[in-house]
Amino acid sequence: MSATPERNGAYGRVPRKEDARFVRGRGTFVDDIQLPGMLHGAVLRSPLAHARIVAVDTTAAEAHPRVEAVITGQALAELGLAWMPTISQDAQSVLATDKVRFQGQEVAFVVAQDRYSARDALELIQVEYEPLPVVADAQRALETGAPVIRDDLPGKTSNHIFDWEAGDKAATDAVFAAADVVVGQDMLYPRSHPAPLETCGMVADSDPVSGRLTLWSTSQAPHAHRTVYALVAGLPEHKIRVVSPDIGGGFGNKAPIYPGYICAIVGSMKTGRPVKWVEDRSENLMSTAFARDYHMHGEIAATADGKVLGLRARVLADHGAFNATAQPTKFPAGFFHIFTGSYDLRAAHCEVTAVYTNKAPGGVAYSCSFRITEAVYLVERMMDILARELGMDPAELRMKNLLRPEQFPYTCPTGWQYDSGDYPRALALAMDIAGYDDLRREQAAKREHGEYMGIGISFFTEGVGAGPRAHMDILGLGMADGASLRVHPTGTAVLGVSCQTQGQGHETTFAQIVAGELGISPDDVEVVHGDTDRTPFGLGTYGSRSTPVSGAATAMAARKVRERARIVASAMLEVSPDDLEWADGKWRVCGDPEKAKGIAEIAMAAHSSLELPAGVEGHLDSEVVYNPPNLTFPFGAYICVTDVDPGTGQVSVRRFIAVDDCGVQINPMIVEGQVHRGLADGVGMALMQVIAFDADGNCLGGSFMDYLLPTPVECPSWELGETVTPSPHHPIGAKGIGESATVGSPPAIVNSVMDALAPFGVRHADMPLTPANVWSAIQGRRLRTDLAVT
Ligand code: CDP
């Protein structure tokens, strides 16, 4: 049973509208787009991680009978398109002109009559490289004498990108100096990849007559992408239409603009025909945006009886060859500084240094809100390490330090204001579902017999729904989102939103929001998204923004329609608008509720010959821009039970209890699906996944043979619970849920494995906890998971 209140019956477990086409295989993904005369593009990529380009010879490729065009960096340079801006306001090479800086970097683009010929012709391009020393290690990249990767940047003599800090250093130092207990730990959140099932791609169609450019693209942010294309290509926005059709998963991977997109556009402009470019799996894993790669040192200070006082973190952030990490401009380390998590601390301070390496660029918000995943991991590991140091139960330590309901709205030591929460209730519920005390008894009994069972806890606070626009922008575009609502005379409606679903079910939940506000059925609301010609401007879907921002815009647009409807209803019922009240999906006369008008009747009247009162022009339609006053702060308490075989290092996740609070739930079935997906992601991150590199910068995670995705075999039957603490500033009290489980689950799993390994004296091992890594930890060795997985 959901604790969420029903909105005129519109909220609840409404089946997903989009599944009608997906289960029949009738979705339309970018690769399904077929246009008359369409050509196919393929990218030539560098085999080397660092090398000077001496010469590129395309003669043989151009002579291929089915090749229509070959584009090189030199050709792009002549058009002023060899470099493009990144989300982090760096410049990224579209096709390399001077050097290649990571293995898999884009060097040339072939356009041919079919995909196979395009690929075949890549092998006919001769590139002469002069290899350069490679630096794939973030620590080494900062050493004096390290090869300078970005010698294209004027005056650049090192690989240093930025230093950034948050919190009060002096206050934190003072708290640490006075504390009874201080513990520290090095930890790595290794480089991983969002790995959506659908890789990235585009069909670019340039019409030489109208000058219009239509781009079917795997984009999480179609409007923002259109503006970037307009700026890069010098085309007016009204000549560019970005259509992001059905998207097979994004998870941050489809937020950036990739060189392949620009090449497809140039290819279409050059040939005058549509060009399709769709990358393969290895291209996706090797060259598109990675996530994490944070080398962290955490320190926590507490009293002897377990009151946590302060937290410190030093981070070395590996950004790869171009600074293309994704976050609002003011926050170069994303929202990492929400790193005090869910606890009531006196002081905190973090420092982040970012560095270039010969690795693919990225640093996207892979199922999290801009580095909160790394932050939650740090604080939750530190809480466990502290509990061990103090000899306290980790649940008891957390309960003692969690923020209390009466502290909300709560401003954390680094300045974020959390909106609402009842954290102890969520943890108590998770412990109840888990049967925590029984689990501890079972664990003690098993240890007697040499069986190693671990119980891991994590508590997380996410911060989702970026802006407000005054505080947050991407490339100068303020983070606010629009919604438009058109109501037909018969009372059915079309909602246009600027966010872009990638499988999260927006067509259903956003229809439910409109339905809940207007007293109509969700079946009568069509949700249009992912098409810049048909939707209002906005910054798109990543960092669980959709419900907190576009969902709020939707509710506000519907309320505006409702207010117009009130004026029309007042004319229909011949009463003053002030004498009407909205109840059970209709405007009703106060004191005589049987006299009422619903939206369908009112919409028809608004389009009829009825004399309309002032304030209504003839329809009920509305358009709003929602500029969120703050993030929303969903939270959760997770408990993981693992069994570890010390002989093989094999970890199996036996149980996983997840209690989430995302405020008012629009569709609890979809919420649960989001949580299941994120928990499985967490199993992958904690136990299986890393994009590793050898010393020559060769990517060791470029296929699904090396980069492992979790399947139901590795996942237990999830046990979910919920609490509902509405966000006070969100129009319908909702918070985001899309990414919570990916943020919360890895530390619970790692804490559980470290708990199982406690009898061996293991305090910490880095993710992923592969059998080799666990076994090495038991042997007292630390496996460099960023360099090698065996
Ligand atoms: O931005 P993204 O869609 O990835 O994340 P989200 O806004 O957290 O929403 C994920 C899905 O869960 C959407 O279909 C939401 O409308 C739905 N949801 C919900 O039903 N109730 C909530 N309180 C939060 C999200």
Side-chain angles (χ1 to χ4, degrees), residues 342-597:
S342 316
Y343 306 107
D344 183 17
L345 312 186
R346 282 199 205 143
H349 181 250
C350 66
E351 300 169 304
V352 181
T353 294
V355 61
Y356 290 120
T357 56
N358 287 121
K359 291 152 77 173
V364 289
Y366 167 15
S367 288
C368 78
S369 202
F370 313 115
R371 305 289 188 184
I372 289 183
T373 309
E374 291 89 326
V376 166
Y377 183 72
L378 180 119
V379 66
E380 289 306 308
R381 284 294 298 126
M382 291 316 301
M383 288 298 281
D384 255 40
I385 289 165
L386 175 65
R388 180 92 71 84
E389 183 80 14
L390 294 171
M392 260 177 103
D393 183 282
E396 188 193 340
L397 179 70
R398 284 178 171 82
M399 220 28 135
K400 188 175 177 124
N401 289 286
L402 282 176
L403 293 164
R404 304 269 138 201
E406 61 276 12
Q407 289 178 276
F408 290 88
Y410 165 79
T411 303
C412 80
T414 50
W416 296 94
Q417 193 185 77
Y418 301 2
D419 52 357
S420 61
D422 187 342
Y423 292 1
R425 185 161 63 111
L427 181 55
L429 177 59
M431 291 171 71
D432 197 32
I433 298 173
Y436 188 76
D437 295 338
D438 287 345
L439 283 175
R440 285 286 173 209
R441 277 190 282 276
E442 181 190 345
Q443 180 185 43
K446 283 199 156 146
R447 275 190 187 162
E448 297 278 306
H449 301 103
E451 288 175 49
Y452 296 95
M453 160 185 169
I455 305 161
I457 303 178
S458 79
F459 199 102
F460 67 90
T461 301
E462 252 272 56
V464 301
R469 62 154 29 112
H471 208 42
M472 297 183 198
D473 72 271
I474 288 188
L475 287 175
L477 301 171
M479 299 184 85
D481 284 65
S484 64
L485 188 57
R486 199 148 39 95
V487 184
H488 299 304
T490 55
T492 58
V494 178
L495 172 75
V497 278
S498 52
C499 59
Q500 166 58 26
T501 185
Q502 306 124 40
Q504 300 95 317
H506 294 174
E507 288 167 45
T508 307
T509 50
F510 282 54
Q512 288 179 269
I513 296 175
V514 173
E517 296 297 327
L518 295 186
I520 58 178
S521 163
D523 290 340
D524 287 336
V525 184
E526 191 199 344
V527 177
V528 178
H529 55 92
D531 183 341
T532 54
D533 270 11
R534 297 178 65 205
T535 58
F537 188 87
L539 272 261
T541 294
Y542 38 85
S544 284
R545 295 186 74 243
S546 304
T547 305
V549 189
S550 291
T554 298
M556 301 306 277
R559 285 176 191 180
K560 220 165 156 180
V561 164
R562 209 165 67 189
E563 280 312 304
R564 279 172 189 271
R566 176 189 207 145
I567 299 170
V568 179
S570 77
M572 294 169 78
L573 293 164
E574 297 177 339
V575 293
S576 153
D578 294 340
D579 290 334
L580 292 176
E581 63 182 354
W582 182 261
D584 294 331
K586 290 186 172 182
W587 282 115
R588 296 176 189 276
V589 176
C590 299
D592 190 2
E594 289 309 306
K595 282 177 102 178
K597 295 288 175 194

Side-chain angles (χ1 to χ4, degrees), residues 504-506 509-510 541 544-548 662 664-667 670-671 674 734-738:
Q504 300 95 317
H506 294 174
T509 50
F510 282 54
T541 294
S544 284
R545 295 186 74 243
S546 304
T547 305
C662 59
V664 170
Q665 297 186 8
I666 303 152
N667 188 324
I670 287 182
V671 167
Q674 295 288 303
K735 302 179 178 184
I737 188 65

